[in-house]
Amino acid sequence: MMESMFLALMFTCLNPTVLLAAQTQLIGSHQPIVALVGDDVLLPCHLEPAVSATYETVVWSKAALEPKYVHHKDGRLLFEKQDPSYFLRTRLFMDELQRGNVSMKISKVELSDAGTYKCSLPAMKKEAEVELIVGTSKR
Ligand SMILES: *[C@@H]1O[C@H](CO)[C@@H](O)[C@H](O)[C@H]1NC(C)=O
């Protein structure tokens, strides 16, 4: 009895995935991100300490749009779940995912893009927020 508990505990402690998944945090941005209409903008979000998110489902959402998503990566981008206003305007960085960087780029920012975004890794039960402020240029 004690022995099997000990073994289970040892396994849990020595299993790097379990250990890291428990310790790692998903970090968004404490400061709002500011962009001008027409700009491309990066919404930062990463795991710290870094663990790979390559095989994780990554979901970017925005409260006002739910249940539709801004970006949903589940092996591939699922267009049918995406809010149409973000069609072909969002991307993640495939080479950054392995470093736990799930930041999302939005191209050609529109005024209606402003708001609070949530990046999440549902399987790891992690989420973080990033606020986007969109301004118009004064020219
Ligand atoms: C995440 O990837 C983006 C795009 O390559 C990069 O600009 C950003 O600095 C990266 N963030 C971190 C924490 O590495």
Side-chain angles (χ1 to χ4, degrees):
M1 176 62 183
M2 280 303 280
E3 201 170 279
S4 62
M5 271 174 67
F6 177 73
L7 284 174
L9 192 68
M10 283 301 288
F11 175 76
T12 308
C13 293
L14 295 175
N15 183 325
T17 314
V18 172
L19 192 64
L20 285 172
Q23 283 181 348
T24 196
Q25 305 277 333
L26 193 56
I27 316 280
S29 176
H30 295 301
Q31 273 102 41
I33 305 298
V34 181
L36 292 176
V37 170
D39 280 357
D40 293 353
V41 70
L42 185 86
L43 301 187
C45 191
H46 71 279
L47 285 163
E48 209 175 287
V51 291
S52 173
T54 303
Y55 302 106
E56 294 290 327
T57 295
V58 179
V59 182
W60 276 91
S61 57
K62 200 177 149 195
L65 296 177
E66 274 163 341
K68 290 284 187 180
Y69 300 115
V70 174
H71 191 103
H72 189 298
K73 178 196 81 79
D74 187 3
R76 64 197 174 91
L77 173 58
L78 299 176
F79 285 114
E80 61 272 24
K81 290 185 177 177
Q82 188 182 39
D83 185 275
S85 64
Y86 291 92
F87 182 64
L88 297 182
R89 288 201 301 128
T90 60
R91 64 167 291 203
L92 305 184
F93 297 84
M94 290 308 145
D95 45 345
E96 294 283 346
L97 290 176
Q98 65 193 16
R99 285 188 263 155
N101 182 353
V102 297
S103 301
M104 176 182 68
K105 184 172 166 181
I106 304 180
S107 311
K108 303 193 195 81
V109 166
E110 299 167 5
L111 272 179
S112 58
D113 291 346
T116 302
Y117 290 76
K118 190 171 77 185
C119 77
S120 57
L121 298 168
M124 294 173 79
K125 297 190 169 62
K126 307 281 181 204
E127 37 180 74
E129 287 188 344
V130 181
E131 189 189 348
L132 175 64
I133 293 174
V134 180
T136 45
S137 60
K138 285 180 238 156
R139 260 185 289 185

